[in-house]
């Protein structure tokens, strides 16, 4: 096999209280990447989408991630990469993570699977660091493992796959720009003990809720008292979307990654449709362009056999 095509999913990191440690893969929203082996050394990248991302492999997260893998293997040849990006860069739903993970899964398949999942996350993290300036794996791990993952420790990549009950996921992406670096810069450097206690109680509650499929507990635990109060100010309509979504029956939700997208979980499709209608109302009234999606929790990067 010399060529492979993969679908690489969007993802939501943080899930409110789980800042930097939790993430889910989404279904139905993905980039398509084709990788071909070649004799000639090096990597060439071609984008066939509308986003004008850098094609220099050293400036593209896919190139950096693939190079990390090739270096580990001391790979003597090269690859041609074609990326059809559907997930808008800077949306907060893991556009860069989709590229970084798609490429390493594809290359691993082409090379006869020399690496396991954890090593693939490590290579992808090299690429992700280019986009965000910091090493984190909360979007990457769900793209590699699928479903819901917890990163207990980033340095050692202690990744735990967790069960998650069926839920609908609403995404609304107001078409405004928030720089991930700025969204990090404004975060508090220290946290009062009282807030920390509330936060870790909610993280524990959320994980327990997921494992027990206890929707009430999930709903009560989707609370972030540390990051959301600061970051939500960067997103027009945030408070209104949240209030109206909860009134429409959503279990809860918040900022997707570092925003500007917001996510909401719902137990059934009727509620998800009602939540979407409320999201649309808010951004129409604010005269801000938006995109909405209703999706579910999905598997990770998959080989496209179609
Ligand atoms: P998101 O959460 O949507 O991934 P980020 O801000 O983390 O948003 O990453 C997007 C940034 O990464 C943009 O500045 C973009 O130019 C850069 N980038 C470089 N290569 C890629 C790529 N292959 N896919 C997406 N973004 C890329």
């Amino acid at each position: 096999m010399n060529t492979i095509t993969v679908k690489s999913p969007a993802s939501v990191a943080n899930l409110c209280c789980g800042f930097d440690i939790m993430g889910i893969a989404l279904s139905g929203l993905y980039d398509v990447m084709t990788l071909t082996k070649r004799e000639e050394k090096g990597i060439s990248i071609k984008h066939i989408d509308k986003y004008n991302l850098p094609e220099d492999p050293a400036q593209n997260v896919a190139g950096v991630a693939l190079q990390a893998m090739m270096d580990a293997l001391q790979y003597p040849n090269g690859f041609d990469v074609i990326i059809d990006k559907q997930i808008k860069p800077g949306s907060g739903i893991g556009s860069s993570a989709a590229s970084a993970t798609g490429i390493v899964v594809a290359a691993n398949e082409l090379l006869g699977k020399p690496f396991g999942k954890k090593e693939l996350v490590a290579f992808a993290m090299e690429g992700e660091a280019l986009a965000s300036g910091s090493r984190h794996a909360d979007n990457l791990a769900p793209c590699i493992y699928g479903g819901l993952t917890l990163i207990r420790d980033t340095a050692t990549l202690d990744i735990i796959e967790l069960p998650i009950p069926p839920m609908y996921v609403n995404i609304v992406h107001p078409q405004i720009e928030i720089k991930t670096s700025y969204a990090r810069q404004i975060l508090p450097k220290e946290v009062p003990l009282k807030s920390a206690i509330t936060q870790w109680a909610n993280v524990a509650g959320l994980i327990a809720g997921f494992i027990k499929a206890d929707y009430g507990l999930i709903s009560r635990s989707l609370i972030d008292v540390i990051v959301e109060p600061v970051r939500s100010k960067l997103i027009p309509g945030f408070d209104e979307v949240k209030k109206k979504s909860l009134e429409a029956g959503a279990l809860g939700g918040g900022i997707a990654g570092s925003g500007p997208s917001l996510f909401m979980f719902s137990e059934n499709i009727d509620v998800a449709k009602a939540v979407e209608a409320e999201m649309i109302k808010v951004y129409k009234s604010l005269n801000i362009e938006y995109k909405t999606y209703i999706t579910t929790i999905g598997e990770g990067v998959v080989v496209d056999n179609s």
Side-chain angles (χ1 to χ4, degrees):
M1 184 165 65
N2 282 319
T3 292
I4 191 168
T5 298
V6 296
K7 292 178 174 174
S8 193
S11 51
V12 176
N14 299 344
L15 306 181
C16 297
C17 49
F19 179 66
D20 265 5
I21 62 167
M22 264 193 264
I24 49 167
L26 298 177
S27 68
L29 220 90
Y30 52 81
D31 291 350
V32 179
M33 306 176 81
T34 300
L35 189 66
T36 306
K37 281 197 233 169
R38 70 178 197 199
E39 290 293 316
E40 194 190 330
K41 264 185 171 315
I43 300 168
S44 88
I45 297 180
K46 189 172 161 38
H47 271 276
I48 53 167
D49 49 57
K50 57 184 178 191
Y51 295 118
N52 260 324
L53 288 167
E55 293 187 332
D56 172 358
Q59 298 301 321
N60 190 301
V61 299
V64 174
L66 180 56
Q67 190 63 53
M69 181 191 250
M70 287 162 68
D71 290 348
L73 282 172
Q74 298 189 315
Y75 191 66
N77 307 115
F79 291 97
D80 293 324
V81 186
I82 299 173
I83 306 176
D84 185 1
K85 183 160 283 294
Q86 305 294 323
I87 311 161
K88 190 172 179 191
S91 52
I93 51 171
S95 177
S96 49
S99 287
T101 54
I103 196 88
V104 295
V105 170
N108 199 45
E109 290 285 333
L110 274 188
L111 298 173
K113 293 206 180 171
F115 297 111
K117 289 182 175 176
K118 183 168 157 170
E119 291 161 301
L120 296 183
V121 173
F123 297 135
M125 203 154 70
E126 299 295 324
E128 185 76 317
L130 173 77
S132 67
S134 69
R135 293 170 65 81
H136 59 103
D138 46 351
N139 282 102
L140 304 172
C143 293
I144 299 279
Y145 290 81
L148 166 70
T149 54
L150 167 71
I151 322 282
R152 195 204 57 81
D153 180 55
T154 306
T156 57
L157 282 182
D158 190 0
I159 297 167
I160 298 110
E161 290 176 82
L162 290 166
I164 185 162
M167 281 186 292
Y168 287 87
V169 188
N170 283 92
I171 302 285
V172 60
H173 177 197
Q175 309 283 296
I176 56 163
E177 200 191 334
I178 297 178
K179 288 255 175 273
T180 306
S181 51
Y182 182 64
R184 279 201 173 259
Q185 204 183 309
I186 60 171
L187 295 178
K189 299 283 171 288
E190 282 168 10
V191 171
L193 182 61
K194 196 163 173 277
S195 307
I197 293 168
T198 304
Q199 196 85 351
W200 61 57
N202 282 318
V203 172
L206 189 57
I207 300 277
F210 287 146
I211 291 172
K212 296 168 73 163
D214 181 336
Y215 291 101
L217 181 54
I218 292 169
S219 179
R220 297 198 298 284
S221 307
L222 280 167
I223 293 171
D224 171 7
V225 296
I226 294 173
V227 176
E228 184 180 292
V230 184
R231 277 197 174 165
S232 60
K233 297 197 170 60
L234 303 176
I235 306 173
F238 177 89
D239 292 340
E240 194 68 1
V241 166
K242 192 159 176 180
K243 181 168 170 276
K244 296 287 182 191
S245 298
L246 294 175
E247 282 170 11
L251 295 168
I255 306 170
S258 56
S261 292
L262 309 184
F263 79 98
M264 285 288 154
F265 283 140
S266 299
E267 230 182 300
N268 66 60
I269 187 70
D270 293 335
V271 172
K273 284 182 180 163
V275 167
E276 183 177 53
E278 295 299 337
M279 290 170 157
I280 290 171
K281 258 192 235 162
V282 171
Y283 285 106
K284 276 210 164 124
S285 76
L286 290 172
N287 247 326
I288 294 174
E289 294 286 315
Y290 61 87
K291 281 215 158 59
T292 57
Y293 308 91
I294 298 179
T295 172
T296 52
I297 294 138
E299 50 189 348
V301 180
V302 288
V303 177
D304 183 8
N305 294 314
S306 63

